[in-house]
Amino acid sequence: MGSMSHADFAQAANEYLPDTYQQKIDQAVQRNAIDRPALFATITWIKQLAESTQAPKVIAELARLQCANAEVEAERTKRIELYRGCIETTDRALAIHSDEIVAIYWKAVAIGKLSEESGVLNALRLMRPMEKLFLRVIELDEQYDNAGAHKALGRIYHKLPQFPISFGDKNKALFHLKNALKLFPNDIIARAFYAELLFDLGKKQEAYRHAKYILDFPVEEENRFRYRRFIDIARHLSEKAGA
């Protein structure tokens, strides 16, 4: 597949992963916290498809499913092992097609998750490679995963220490989170990150309005696990605002 163009890879992906297949994968990822057996079954199926086709998009979707499995793993050691496996899978896809966006994105996500499990120094070491990957995702398709790269970069630039310790930058954080909300105004993850940033910038009333939106937002049962962290951010901000 080394001589294939980007258009060729896209056409091949559509052949190997028609809409019905993609919908099955999306559903398994979305319901990972409430139907893990279905997630395991989908991983097994996609792994077989990846082995038979060696299609980078299929391999990348396998990595996405592996990341979803790691997300709901309670045991820390096993969780770290699963995220490392996800990165290995993305590297397989990227060795075939270096601009496979699904692989780039989920490699960055897995690196971020590993950084959360690491000590401070190791976490800082992982930030630059993750930043580079998310920036590449934005170049390829800034809307991917509900502007996931914009959200991640906004969070990174907000929470990292500034120069000379690291490369935190509140202005960059604002830029990316505003873009995420412009693209997906109802996304509560972007709103949670944006509200927390606004609060830290002293814009407490504006932060509270975003937090209230999140707390009033109807969350389906299958999404409660995924959104609980962001709802907690909103609740904490509301408490600090005295609401």
Side-chain angles (χ1 to χ4, degrees):
M1 291 190 179
S3 62
M4 290 176 66
S5 69
H6 186 77
D8 291 334
F9 278 116
Q11 183 178 352
N14 290 333
E15 292 174 0
Y16 295 130
L17 288 176
D19 288 345
T20 51
Y21 283 18
Q22 190 65 59
Q23 289 167 7
K24 183 176 179 180
I25 296 168
D26 293 344
Q27 185 177 47
V29 170
Q30 186 174 9
R31 295 173 58 83
N32 64 338
I34 62 174
D35 195 353
R36 206 171 178 192
L39 178 63
F40 286 144
T42 308
I43 289 173
T44 299
W45 159 61
I46 289 296
K47 187 178 291 186
Q48 292 171 347
L49 184 61
E51 289 173 353
S52 64
T53 65
Q54 290 300 305
K57 178 66 161 63
V58 179
I59 298 171
E61 288 291 345
L62 171 60
R64 179 185 172 211
L65 288 160
Q66 290 173 326
C67 205
N69 183 34
E71 183 183 30
V72 293
E73 174 56 51
E75 185 183 338
R76 180 178 178 274
T77 303
K78 180 64 174 176
R79 193 164 59 246
I80 290 173
E81 178 185 337
L82 290 172
Y83 280 125
R84 286 175 175 163
C86 173
I87 292 171
E88 290 175 2
T89 303
T90 62
D91 284 341
R92 283 172 50 205
L94 293 172
I96 301 170
H97 182 32
S98 61
D99 278 344
E100 173 47 62
I101 188 172
V102 179
I104 297 170
Y105 181 81
W106 291 103
K107 180 175 183 176
V109 171
I111 289 173
K113 295 296 185 180
L114 284 177
S115 75
E116 293 176 4
E117 306 284 358
S118 307
V120 174
L121 292 178
N122 194 41
L124 289 174
R125 181 182 61 82
L126 294 171
M127 290 297 108
R128 279 298 189 188
M130 183 167 54
E131 177 197 32
K132 182 178 179 181
L133 291 167
F134 281 132
L135 287 171
R136 183 58 181 150
V137 170
I138 289 172
E139 290 176 359
L140 293 169
D141 180 6
E142 64 177 339
Q143 297 191 48
Y144 180 74
D145 197 39
N146 278 31
H150 277 306
K151 290 183 287 190
L153 286 170
R155 186 68 166 174
I156 290 168
Y157 292 134
H158 174 199
K159 292 298 184 178
L160 280 181
Q162 296 185 8
F163 180 84
I165 298 173
S166 190
F167 56 96
D169 188 319
K170 298 294 193 297
N171 289 327
K172 286 185 178 181
L174 278 171
F175 170 81
H176 286 289
L177 293 175
K178 283 181 176 179
N179 277 335
L181 282 171
K182 181 179 179 180
L183 291 166
F184 296 96
N186 298 324
D187 189 284
I188 66 172
I189 300 175
R191 280 184 180 265
F193 290 165
Y194 188 54
E196 198 169 37
L197 175 60
L198 289 172
F199 191 91
D200 288 350
L201 291 173
K203 300 179 180 181
K204 297 183 179 181
Q205 287 304 310
E206 190 178 352
Y208 170 68
R209 286 197 296 272
H210 287 285
K212 186 177 186 303
Y213 178 95
I214 295 167
L215 294 175
D216 291 341
F217 193 88
V219 177
E220 297 176 353
E221 180 63 29
E222 63 187 18
N223 288 322
R224 290 189 181 279
F225 175 84
R226 181 168 291 103
Y227 290 151
R228 73 194 190 287
R229 172 187 171 194
F230 313 107
I231 293 171
D232 286 345
I233 289 174
R235 186 175 294 113
H236 183 58
L237 289 175
S238 292
E239 290 171 355
K240 287 200 290 187

